[in-house]
Amino acid sequence: MADYLDDLRLAHVLADAADAATMDRFKALDLKVETKPDMTPVSEADKAAEELIRGHLARARPRDSVHGEEFGVAGSGSRRWIIDPIDGTKNYVRGVPVWATLIALTEAAEGGYQPVVGLVSAPALGRRWWAVKDHGAFTGRSLTSASRLRVSQVSALSDASFAYSSLSGWEEQGRLDGFLDLTREVWRTRAYGDFWPYMMVAEGSVDLCAEPELSLWDMAANAIIVTEAGGTFTGLDGRPGPHSGNAAASNGRLHDELLGYLNQRY
């Protein structure tokens, strides 16, 4: 862990700064919101938080590159920070507290940059989660006040809780029938959305989750937290990691069945 301990500490510093900035504008009556070309919203807080993180990284890790949702890729090299300043912007702009800043450090590897540090900070929920490659996943207020994360041991779909974001994306991809068949097989379904179901998989309170269309910044931090908690994180194609443009996460025991249903009529 010595190789990444300073990076993990830095990720917490970055999250502290982002939390202060985003909470300062959360529920602000004069919050400015624009629509991006992909028709998704972006607020002034998204941009400010990413600029703040980039500024910290430029000073603390000038040799590392950065890939953020709002301002793209800057720099090159074997280490790259992946930033989603506000995951759950639609919630943020409506005053719903389920949103978070996602920070991941990745290193160049076969198949693309792979996460080695991940942190998810949800200040409006008062929660934070993090992980380091080969050293486990944790949740707590700080590095010194944390508990270890472990996925559930549920091994039957009939006992499983399945979380998702919405129905429309599955329908657009022609996967809705398989998705609905899965919802009929599991014990419970809830549409939490965004980062939260992945954190609940890591905590063991949810057993399965999946989304049909995502970007790298949506997944990099989530992927390492789930896997370091003992779970499995892949694309719908079964490829490990955050590079498939979509995601399936589970406690591992149910992963093949999860993928089977979501791909059965595709």
Side-chain angles (χ1 to χ4, degrees):
M1 187 164 175
D3 291 342
Y4 302 115
L5 183 56
D6 285 345
D7 295 311
L8 178 61
R9 288 184 180 131
L10 176 59
H12 277 274
V13 171
L14 299 175
D16 289 343
D19 287 355
T22 53
M23 285 300 291
D24 183 61
R25 298 299 292 155
F26 185 47
K27 297 186 179 181
L29 296 179
D30 60 344
L31 181 73
K32 295 182 176 63
V33 182
E34 303 170 4
T35 300
K36 295 191 285 189
D38 64 0
M39 302 307 293
T40 61
V42 57
S43 74
E44 63 181 85
D46 292 78
K47 295 179 178 180
E50 184 168 324
E51 287 176 332
L52 190 64
I53 292 170
R54 284 174 179 268
H56 276 280
L57 287 172
R59 294 186 294 273
R61 297 291 188 274
R63 295 183 180 180
D64 294 352
S65 63
V66 181
H67 184 184
E69 177 177 8
E70 307 307 335
F71 299 107
V73 178
S76 60
S78 62
R79 288 165 44 104
R80 176 170 291 173
W81 294 83
I82 311 294
I83 309 299
D84 189 343
I86 299 179
D87 182 54
T89 298
K90 291 177 182 178
N91 282 345
Y92 184 87
V93 301
R94 291 296 302 271
V96 178
V98 183
W99 50 270
T101 295
L102 278 54
I103 300 169
L105 172 63
T106 64
E107 290 191 338
E110 186 176 349
Y113 284 86
Q114 298 300 326
V116 293
V117 174
L119 184 147
V120 172
S121 187
L125 295 176
R127 298 295 311 276
R128 186 175 290 187
W129 305 261
W130 62 90
V132 174
K133 183 180 179 182
D134 298 328
H135 286 87
F138 298 84
T139 184
R141 297 285 184 175
S142 67
L143 281 168
T144 56
S145 178
S147 57
R148 187 140 189 179
L149 297 173
R150 290 182 175 84
V151 296
S152 74
Q153 299 299 306
V154 172
S155 58
L157 281 181
S158 58
D159 297 325
S161 179
F162 171 49
Y164 60 97
S165 55
S166 68
L167 296 178
S168 59
W170 300 105
E171 186 172 29
E172 290 166 6
Q173 289 195 4
R175 299 181 190 263
L176 184 59
D177 288 341
F179 172 87
L180 292 175
D181 285 347
L182 175 61
T183 66
R184 297 181 185 108
E185 290 299 317
V186 297
W187 167 64
R188 189 173 191 250
T189 62
R190 285 293 183 271
Y192 299 108
D194 300 308
F195 69 94
W196 206 10
Y198 301 97
M199 299 303 99
M200 287 191 278
V201 168
E203 291 178 338
S205 53
V206 164
D207 312 299
L208 309 162
C209 69
E211 290 183 89
E213 187 175 3
L214 293 168
S215 298
L216 178 60
W217 51 77
D218 297 313
M219 297 183 282
N222 294 337
I224 188 169
I225 293 171
V226 168
T227 55
E228 286 297 322
T232 301
F233 188 106
T234 72
L236 297 176
D237 57 5
R239 181 159 58 118
H243 293 286
S244 297
N246 45 48
S250 75
N251 64 2
R253 295 172 176 237
L254 299 169
H255 206 78
D256 288 344
E257 289 180 274
L258 171 63
L259 294 179
Y261 274 96
L262 297 178
N263 290 311
Q264 69 178 1
R265 302 185 192 179
Y266 181 61

